Amino acid sequence: MPGSVSFSHEDARRYYDWFGAKQDTQGFYENAALGALIENGAFCDAQAVLEIGCGTGKFAARLLSDHLPASARYVGLDISGTMVALAKERLEPWADRAEIHRSDGGFDLPAFGMSFDRVVFTYVFDLLSVEDISKALSATHSVLRTGGWLCSAGLTRGTGGLSSITSAAWTWVHGIKPSLVGGCRPLALTDFLDKSRWRVVHREVVVSATVPSEVLVAEAL
Ligand SMILES: C[S@@+](CC[C@H](N)C(=O)[O-])C[C@H]1O[C@@H](n2cnc3c(N)ncnc32)[C@H](O)[C@@H]1O
């Protein structure tokens, strides 16, 4: 069962404080999925975006420079002080409308504002415990305006061939020692969505360098 091996908030903070800027080397499997998320996330219509686990601010910089309206506000949260510092530095050109905060790892999202048009998670749900995934989804629903979109990309199960071998091997390594894979393991976020609260707008599995990622856009009902 995904999530049966624990990677605590403290484990995540310690690991990503150490990993820091090396996160950007993961583009060889993340970039194609992030591109699909941008294609399907209609960010040009968003005035307020919240990102959880913003990492180095790479995705935020892409949104702010090329996709969000010039008037849009961005709020990023991360549990790692190293990541918060890197993201603040990277987003300096948009400091008048982009803010980054250190998170305690919980999901008190209303503390950072309400009525977001998009809440973004890229390669974050896949390192949360099953309990935290439910908390994060519920908190996300509470801060999205009605009709707002959850936008997620993350590791998922393979679709056959090499991608299935890669996801099985990844799950196996995670089961031995989660920190060997940054706490992340393949899962299907759609399995966690309450159909009475979310409508799936777009879902696809993107495979890059044999690594499968689930790209999911879901509307808060
Ligand atoms: C795999 S990295 C992905 C970073 C970035 N979203 C990307 O796609 O490059 C996971 C990020 O989530 C952060 N993180 C982990 N658990 C978190 C939590 N409970 N709350 C906020 N951020 C968290 C980590 O510090 C790290 O920056």
Side-chain angles (χ1 to χ4, degrees):
M1 168 71 186
S4 54
V5 181
S6 89
F7 192 66
S8 69
H9 293 167
E10 183 52 26
D11 291 336
R13 189 197 58 70
R14 198 177 317 113
Y15 181 88
Y16 286 99
D17 273 352
W18 165 75
F19 201 51
K22 293 190 277 295
Q23 179 61 38
D24 289 349
T25 65
Q26 306 304 293
F28 72 94
Y29 66 87
E30 289 190 358
N31 286 347
L34 297 180
L37 189 60
I38 283 177
E39 263 175 44
N40 292 283
F43 287 97
C44 56
D45 297 332
Q47 282 300 330
V49 175
L50 174 64
E51 182 175 12
I52 317 301
C54 62
T56 65
K58 187 176 85 164
F59 192 66
R62 194 167 164 189
L63 290 182
L64 285 157
S65 71
D66 297 335
H67 301 286
L68 289 172
S71 53
R73 187 171 73 93
Y74 169 90
V75 180
L77 308 180
D78 205 285
I79 198 171
S80 152
T82 302
M83 292 302 199
V84 166
L86 289 168
K88 277 188 175 163
E89 190 182 337
R90 186 173 238 158
L91 301 188
E92 185 57 35
W94 301 277
D96 55 332
R97 58 197 181 96
E99 46 187 278
I100 307 291
H101 300 278
R102 174 100 177 257
S103 149
D104 64 2
F107 299 97
D108 180 18
L109 303 185
F112 300 97
M114 301 293 286
S115 295
F116 286 98
D117 299 299
R118 304 284 181 273
V119 178
V120 174
F121 292 77
T122 67
Y123 299 90
V124 175
F125 278 117
D126 52 25
L127 60 69
L128 299 179
S129 67
V130 166
E131 190 188 11
D132 270 355
I133 292 173
S134 295
K135 285 184 191 166
L137 283 173
S138 179
T140 295
H141 196 280
S142 73
V143 297
L144 275 171
R145 67 167 174 77
T146 304
W149 289 1
L150 160 69
C151 294
S152 167
L155 294 175
T156 197
R157 297 189 281 269
T159 52
L162 285 178
S163 69
S164 292
I165 294 169
T166 298
S167 67
W170 198 306
T171 302
W172 179 74
V173 173
H174 180 272
I176 293 172
K177 192 174 180 190
S179 62
L180 291 174
V181 282
C184 302
R185 80 292 193 198
L187 57 77
L189 188 60
T190 30
D191 291 349
F192 293 87
L193 289 187
D194 175 346
K195 306 294 179 288
S196 67
R197 306 190 84 201
W198 298 100
R199 180 182 71 86
V200 174
V201 174
H202 178 84
R203 181 187 187 266
E204 69 181 296
V205 175
V206 175
V207 178
S208 183
T210 81
V211 180
S213 295
E214 179 187 43
V215 175
L216 180 73
V217 177
E219 178 185 3
L221 300 176

